[in-house]
mmCIF file with all atom_site columns, all heavy atoms in Angstrom:
data_model
loop_
_atom_site.group_PDB
_atom_site.id
_atom_site.type_symbol
_atom_site.label_atom_id
_atom_site.label_alt_id
_atom_site.label_comp_id
_atom_site.label_asym_id
_atom_site.label_entity_id
_atom_site.label_seq_id
_atom_site.pdbx_PDB_ins_code
_atom_site.Cartn_x
_atom_site.Cartn_y
_atom_site.Cartn_z
_atom_site.occupancy
_atom_site.B_iso_or_equiv
_atom_site.pdbx_formal_charge
_atom_site.auth_seq_id
_atom_site.auth_comp_id
_atom_site.auth_asym_id
_atom_site.auth_atom_id
_atom_site.pdbx_PDB_model_num
ATOM 1  N N   . THR A 1 120 ? 3.670  18.721 8.009  1.00 0.00 ? 320 THR A N   1
ATOM 2  C CA  . THR A 1 120 ? 3.419  20.123 7.705  1.00 0.00 ? 320 THR A CA  1
ATOM 3  C C   . THR A 1 120 ? 2.357  20.198 6.600  1.00 0.00 ? 320 THR A C   1
ATOM 4  O O   . THR A 1 120 ? 2.108  19.201 5.906  1.00 0.00 ? 320 THR A O   1
ATOM 5  C CB  . THR A 1 120 ? 4.695  20.812 7.208  1.00 0.00 ? 320 THR A CB  1
ATOM 6  O OG1 . THR A 1 120 ? 5.060  20.239 5.937  1.00 0.00 ? 320 THR A OG1 1
ATOM 7  C CG2 . THR A 1 120 ? 5.839  20.635 8.206  1.00 0.00 ? 320 THR A CG2 1
ATOM 8  N N   . PRO A 1 121 ? 1.736  21.372 6.399  1.00 0.00 ? 321 PRO A N   1
ATOM 9  C CA  . PRO A 1 121 ? 0.760  21.481 5.297  1.00 0.00 ? 321 PRO A CA  1
ATOM 10 C C   . PRO A 1 121 ? 1.356  21.117 3.941  1.00 0.00 ? 321 PRO A C   1
ATOM 11 O O   . PRO A 1 121 ? 0.673  20.514 3.106  1.00 0.00 ? 321 PRO A O   1
ATOM 12 C CB  . PRO A 1 121 ? 0.349  22.957 5.352  1.00 0.00 ? 321 PRO A CB  1
ATOM 13 C CG  . PRO A 1 121 ? 0.543  23.341 6.791  1.00 0.00 ? 321 PRO A CG  1
ATOM 14 C CD  . PRO A 1 121 ? 1.763  22.585 7.234  1.00 0.00 ? 321 PRO A CD  1
ATOM 15 N N   . GLU A 1 122 ? 2.628  21.471 3.731  1.00 0.00 ? 322 GLU A N   1
ATOM 16 C CA  . GLU A 1 122 ? 3.270  21.155 2.450  1.00 0.00 ? 322 GLU A CA  1
ATOM 17 C C   . GLU A 1 122 ? 3.462  19.645 2.293  1.00 0.00 ? 322 GLU A C   1
ATOM 18 O O   . GLU A 1 122 ? 3.201  19.088 1.218  1.00 0.00 ? 322 GLU A O   1
ATOM 19 C CB  . GLU A 1 122 ? 4.618  21.863 2.356  1.00 0.00 ? 322 GLU A CB  1
ATOM 20 C CG  . GLU A 1 122 ? 4.541  23.374 2.264  1.00 0.00 ? 322 GLU A CG  1
ATOM 21 C CD  . GLU A 1 122 ? 4.295  24.038 3.616  1.00 0.00 ? 322 GLU A CD  1
ATOM 22 O OE1 . GLU A 1 122 ? 4.437  23.350 4.657  1.00 0.00 ? 322 GLU A OE1 1
ATOM 23 O OE2 . GLU A 1 122 ? 3.958  25.233 3.628  1.00 0.00 ? 322 GLU A OE2 1
ATOM 24 N N   . GLU A 1 123 ? 3.897  18.987 3.356  1.00 0.00 ? 323 GLU A N   1
ATOM 25 C CA  . GLU A 1 123 ? 4.089  17.529 3.292  1.00 0.00 ? 323 GLU A CA  1
ATOM 26 C C   . GLU A 1 123 ? 2.758  16.816 3.110  1.00 0.00 ? 323 GLU A C   1
ATOM 27 O O   . GLU A 1 123 ? 2.663  15.837 2.352  1.00 0.00 ? 323 GLU A O   1
ATOM 28 C CB  . GLU A 1 123 ? 4.780  17.048 4.566  1.00 0.00 ? 323 GLU A CB  1
ATOM 29 C CG  . GLU A 1 123 ? 6.237  17.499 4.664  1.00 0.00 ? 323 GLU A CG  1
ATOM 30 C CD  . GLU A 1 123 ? 6.824  17.310 6.052  1.00 0.00 ? 323 GLU A CD  1
ATOM 31 O OE1 . GLU A 1 123 ? 6.036  17.191 7.025  1.00 0.00 ? 323 GLU A OE1 1
ATOM 32 O OE2 . GLU A 1 123 ? 8.057  17.295 6.183  1.00 0.00 ? 323 GLU A OE2 1
ATOM 33 N N   . LEU A 1 124 ? 1.723  17.308 3.795  1.00 0.00 ? 324 LEU A N   1
ATOM 34 C CA  . LEU A 1 124 ? 0.391  16.713 3.629  1.00 0.00 ? 324 LEU A CA  1
ATOM 35 C C   . LEU A 1 124 ? -0.089 16.875 2.194  1.00 0.00 ? 324 LEU A C   1
ATOM 36 O O   . LEU A 1 124 ? -0.697 15.952 1.626  1.00 0.00 ? 324 LEU A O   1
ATOM 37 C CB  . LEU A 1 124 ? -0.596 17.364 4.601  1.00 0.00 ? 324 LEU A CB  1
ATOM 38 C CG  . LEU A 1 124 ? -2.023 16.825 4.559  1.00 0.00 ? 324 LEU A CG  1
ATOM 39 C CD1 . LEU A 1 124 ? -2.063 15.342 4.930  1.00 0.00 ? 324 LEU A CD1 1
ATOM 40 C CD2 . LEU A 1 124 ? -2.930 17.623 5.510  1.00 0.00 ? 324 LEU A CD2 1
ATOM 41 N N   . ALA A 1 125 ? 0.207  18.014 1.592  1.00 0.00 ? 325 ALA A N   1
ATOM 42 C CA  . ALA A 1 125 ? -0.167 18.223 0.188  1.00 0.00 ? 325 ALA A CA  1
ATOM 43 C C   . ALA A 1 125 ? 0.527  17.195 -0.704 1.00 0.00 ? 325 ALA A C   1
ATOM 44 O O   . ALA A 1 125 ? -0.078 16.657 -1.640 1.00 0.00 ? 325 ALA A O   1
ATOM 45 C CB  . ALA A 1 125 ? 0.202  19.643 -0.243 1.00 0.00 ? 325 ALA A CB  1
ATOM 46 N N   . GLY A 1 126 ? 1.791  16.907 -0.426 1.00 0.00 ? 326 GLY A N   1
ATOM 47 C CA  . GLY A 1 126 ? 2.503  15.905 -1.210 1.00 0.00 ? 326 GLY A CA  1
ATOM 48 C C   . GLY A 1 126 ? 1.861  14.537 -1.107 1.00 0.00 ? 326 GLY A C   1
ATOM 49 O O   . GLY A 1 126 ? 1.714  13.827 -2.109 1.00 0.00 ? 326 GLY A O   1
ATOM 50 N N   . VAL A 1 127 ? 1.453  14.159 0.114  1.00 0.00 ? 327 VAL A N   1
ATOM 51 C CA  . VAL A 1 127 ? 0.829  12.850 0.333  1.00 0.00 ? 327 VAL A CA  1
ATOM 52 C C   . VAL A 1 127 ? -0.524 12.769 -0.365 1.00 0.00 ? 327 VAL A C   1
ATOM 53 O O   . VAL A 1 127 ? -0.824 11.780 -1.066 1.00 0.00 ? 327 VAL A O   1
ATOM 54 C CB  . VAL A 1 127 ? 0.668  12.575 1.838  1.00 0.00 ? 327 VAL A CB  1
ATOM 55 C CG1 . VAL A 1 127 ? -0.220 11.346 2.069  1.00 0.00 ? 327 VAL A CG1 1
ATOM 56 C CG2 . VAL A 1 127 ? 2.027  12.369 2.488  1.00 0.00 ? 327 VAL A CG2 1
ATOM 57 N N   . MET A 1 128 ? -1.343 13.778 -0.185 1.00 0.00 ? 328 MET A N   1
ATOM 58 C CA  . MET A 1 128 ? -2.681 13.713 -0.773 1.00 0.00 ? 328 MET A CA  1
ATOM 59 C C   . MET A 1 128 ? -2.635 13.816 -2.299 1.00 0.00 ? 328 MET A C   1
ATOM 60 O O   . MET A 1 128 ? -3.469 13.227 -2.993 1.00 0.00 ? 328 MET A O   1
ATOM 61 C CB  . MET A 1 128 ? -3.572 14.813 -0.191 1.00 0.00 ? 328 MET A CB  1
ATOM 62 C CG  . MET A 1 128 ? -3.735 14.755 1.335  1.00 0.00 ? 328 MET A CG  1
ATOM 63 S SD  . MET A 1 128 ? -3.915 13.072 2.029  1.00 0.00 ? 328 MET A SD  1
ATOM 64 C CE  . MET A 1 128 ? -5.473 12.538 1.303  1.00 0.00 ? 328 MET A CE  1
ATOM 65 N N   . ALA A 1 129 ? -1.639 14.524 -2.831 1.00 0.00 ? 329 ALA A N   1
ATOM 66 C CA  . ALA A 1 129 ? -1.471 14.558 -4.289 1.00 0.00 ? 329 ALA A CA  1
ATOM 67 C C   . ALA A 1 129 ? -1.126 13.163 -4.805 1.00 0.00 ? 329 ALA A C   1
ATOM 68 O O   . ALA A 1 129 ? -1.601 12.738 -5.866 1.00 0.00 ? 329 ALA A O   1
ATOM 69 C CB  . ALA A 1 129 ? -0.386 15.561 -4.665 1.00 0.00 ? 329 ALA A CB  1
ATOM 70 N N   . HIS A 1 130 ? -0.296 12.437 -4.053 1.00 0.00 ? 330 HIS A N   1
ATOM 71 C CA  . HIS A 1 130 ? 0.020  11.051 -4.399 1.00 0.00 ? 330 HIS A CA  1
ATOM 72 C C   . HIS A 1 130 ? -1.250 10.202 -4.444 1.00 0.00 ? 330 HIS A C   1
ATOM 73 O O   . HIS A 1 130 ? -1.454 9.428  -5.387 1.00 0.00 ? 330 HIS A O   1
ATOM 74 C CB  . HIS A 1 130 ? 1.005  10.498 -3.359 1.00 0.00 ? 330 HIS A CB  1
ATOM 75 C CG  . HIS A 1 130 ? 1.223  9.022  -3.430 1.00 0.00 ? 330 HIS A CG  1
ATOM 76 N ND1 . HIS A 1 130 ? 2.344  8.448  -4.015 1.00 0.00 ? 330 HIS A ND1 1
ATOM 77 C CD2 . HIS A 1 130 ? 0.477  7.979  -2.977 1.00 0.00 ? 330 HIS A CD2 1
ATOM 78 C CE1 . HIS A 1 130 ? 2.265  7.142  -3.927 1.00 0.00 ? 330 HIS A CE1 1
ATOM 79 N NE2 . HIS A 1 130 ? 1.146  6.817  -3.291 1.00 0.00 ? 330 HIS A NE2 1
ATOM 80 N N   . GLU A 1 131 ? -2.104 10.347 -3.437 1.00 0.00 ? 331 GLU A N   1
ATOM 81 C CA  . GLU A 1 131 ? -3.332 9.549  -3.400 1.00 0.00 ? 331 GLU A CA  1
ATOM 82 C C   . GLU A 1 131 ? -4.278 9.933  -4.536 1.00 0.00 ? 331 GLU A C   1
ATOM 83 O O   . GLU A 1 131 ? -4.934 9.075  -5.130 1.00 0.00 ? 331 GLU A O   1
ATOM 84 C CB  . GLU A 1 131 ? -4.019 9.711  -2.042 1.00 0.00 ? 331 GLU A CB  1
ATOM 85 C CG  . GLU A 1 131 ? -3.202 9.220  -0.853 1.00 0.00 ? 331 GLU A CG  1
ATOM 86 C CD  . GLU A 1 131 ? -2.734 7.783  -1.003 1.00 0.00 ? 331 GLU A CD  1
ATOM 87 O OE1 . GLU A 1 131 ? -3.412 6.998  -1.698 1.00 0.00 ? 331 GLU A OE1 1
ATOM 88 O OE2 . GLU A 1 131 ? -1.676 7.444  -0.446 1.00 0.00 ? 331 GLU A OE2 1
ATOM 89 N N   . LEU A 1 132 ? -4.356 11.222 -4.848 1.00 0.00 ? 332 LEU A N   1
ATOM 90 C CA  . LEU A 1 132 ? -5.200 11.645 -5.963 1.00 0.00 ? 332 LEU A CA  1
ATOM 91 C C   . LEU A 1 132 ? -4.693 11.073 -7.286 1.00 0.00 ? 332 LEU A C   1
ATOM 92 O O   . LEU A 1 132 ? -5.487 10.745 -8.174 1.00 0.00 ? 332 LEU A O   1
ATOM 93 C CB  . LEU A 1 132 ? -5.244 13.179 -6.037 1.00 0.00 ? 332 LEU A CB  1
ATOM 94 C CG  . LEU A 1 132 ? -6.033 13.889 -4.934 1.00 0.00 ? 332 LEU A CG  1
ATOM 95 C CD1 . LEU A 1 132 ? -5.915 15.402 -5.107 1.00 0.00 ? 332 LEU A CD1 1
ATOM 96 C CD2 . LEU A 1 132 ? -7.503 13.484 -4.942 1.00 0.00 ? 332 LEU A CD2 1
#
Side-chain angles (χ1 to χ4, degrees):
T320 66
E322 293 79 13
E323 290 166 340
L324 181 62
V327 169
M328 301 320 296
H330 169 102
E331 298 306 332
L332 289 177

